[in-house]
Amino acid sequence: MKRWPLIPTIFVAGAMLVMIGLGIWQLRRMDEKNALLAEYAAAATKPPIAWPAVPVKHDAPLFRRATGFCTEVTGWSASAGRNAKGEAGWAHIAACRTGGAEGPGMQVDMGWSRDAANPAWTGGEVTGIVAPDTRHIIRLISQTPAPGLEPSQPPAMDDIPNNHLAYAVQWFFFAAVAGVIYALALRRRKQAPGADAQR
């Protein structure tokens, strides 16, 4: 009777447990993300807030209406964007000072155009919707575009990825595949002639 290969079995079982654990963790993350998306969906019914002096990634007020004051435009950037009609073009984002002694200031999407040239807007009070920003955590999508621009497309719930269920299924699948492959390997080992004699 062939002995059970202890070390390989421990290794494969440990790997399977890790993959199953990662799948369970992704399911928990999915529940957390669903709760967060529900909070974002309810943001439209909440009163406006003042622009946060120092945005915090884990508590960003996404999809809330907010108001800030741009005391000075320190720079412009044009990124691919869409207008309220869904047409492709350029979103014009102003980097603003907000008058505070500390903090990163405020990024404001002041509108859309087909031309990447910077608008002539120099600052002032801005009201709009808080949207995610990969570099600055959040930006404000102004409801009133700068002169010569059209309103940019407001942020949508589809901008927030929620792939945790797919990731969980992948980890469970990997664990199942590892188990099947190891079971087949054990079966082949059992059927292999002279396996015991070679040890």
Side-chain angles (χ1 to χ4, degrees):
M1 180 179 180
K2 293 180 175 62
R3 291 183 301 172
W4 194 271
L6 181 60
I7 294 179
T9 299
I10 293 175
F11 177 80
V12 173
M16 290 177 62
L17 287 175
V18 169
M19 288 184 278
I20 291 171
L22 288 171
I24 293 173
W25 176 72
Q26 287 291 347
L27 290 177
R28 291 174 180 169
R29 290 283 295 129
M30 180 186 69
D31 291 338
E32 294 172 0
K33 182 59 70 67
N34 287 336
L36 191 62
L37 290 175
E39 180 181 336
Y40 291 159
T45 64
K46 296 180 179 179
I49 61 172
W51 184 260
V54 182
V56 180
K57 186 174 183 178
H58 70 270
D59 194 27
L62 297 179
F63 301 98
R64 288 290 299 269
R65 290 181 56 78
T67 297
F69 195 91
C70 179
T71 60
E72 179 187 0
V73 177
T74 59
W76 286 96
S77 62
S79 63
R82 294 183 179 275
N83 63 8
K85 302 174 185 177
E87 298 172 326
W90 297 97
H92 298 272
I93 302 169
C96 290
R97 298 187 192 276
T98 56
E102 298 180 357
M106 179 172 62
Q107 300 291 313
V108 186
D109 183 335
M110 285 306 302
W112 173 97
S113 72
R114 297 188 184 279
D115 187 351
N118 297 335
W121 187 74
T122 58
E125 186 175 82
V126 185
T127 298
I129 305 296
V130 180
D133 187 297
T134 55
R135 183 177 178 183
H136 303 279
I137 303 178
I138 55 175
R139 74 174 65 155
L140 189 61
I141 311 296
S142 177
Q143 67 181 18
T144 303
L149 302 181
E150 298 181 27
S152 291
Q153 190 175 68
M157 298 294 290
D158 292 341
D159 297 335
I160 307 298
N162 188 13
N163 302 321
H164 298 293
L165 179 59
Y167 293 149
V169 171
Q170 286 181 357
W171 283 118
F172 293 143
F173 175 76
F174 294 155
V177 169
V180 170
I181 291 175
Y182 189 59
L184 293 174
L186 289 177
R187 182 179 180 184
R188 178 174 294 183
R189 178 179 181 275
K190 182 178 180 181
Q191 294 175 346
D196 286 335
Q198 296 174 4
R199 290 203 307 268

